[in-house]
Amino acid sequence: MLVRDAMSTVVLTIGPAHTLRQAAALMSARRVGAALVLDPDAGGIGILTERDILNSVALGQDPDTERTHAHTTNDVVFAAPAWTLEEAASAMAHGGFRHLVVLEGEEAVGIVSVRDIIRCWAPLRQPAPAL
């Protein structure tokens, strides 16, 4: 199975001036764990994850004043739609992250997450094993 089969093609895109609270609200409303941050001053596409927001709050920073640009990962690892899910999972495991931005040419066409990969690999909606 390929990344294109698992990725989400509806991607939340935010700007570098959004506050962390605004980003969190948008991510929550869309039920996603990451947003693309388009920041021409930082060189293009970055990613903000729920973990970035959590880390900021844990440090006592104010989510109403902290801006996404200060918490965005700009050295993003990209995947191609034709990668296998094994390649994507390996990149995530080696990099220690849970989301890959999927590029086709220079355009972001999706995001694939660990959850997306698990959904493809695990049988659908089987009851949890009894403890």
Side-chain angles (χ1 to χ4, degrees), residues 15 41 66 76 97:
D41 294 334
E66 286 295 312
V76 178
F97 45 81

Side-chain angles (χ1 to χ4, degrees), residues 1-15:
M1 190 164 260
L2 303 178
V3 165
R4 77 170 46 94
D5 302 318
M7 70 183 191
S8 300
T9 57
V10 177
V11 178
L12 175 60
T13 303
I14 60 176

Side-chain angles (χ1 to χ4, degrees), residues 37-95:
V37 180
L38 298 182
D39 186 353
D41 294 334
I45 299 172
I47 190 167
L48 179 78
T49 68
E50 57 198 359
R51 183 169 292 158
D52 298 323
I53 296 168
L54 181 68
N55 288 339
S56 174
V57 171
L59 290 171
Q61 296 173 335
D62 184 353
D64 290 315
T65 59
E66 286 295 312
R67 303 294 172 175
T68 60
H69 70 84
H71 302 278
T72 298
T73 300
N74 291 311
D75 58 340
V76 178
V77 175
F78 298 101
W83 277 19
T84 65
L85 293 185
E86 289 83 5
E87 290 172 305
S90 177
M92 290 177 189
H94 287 21

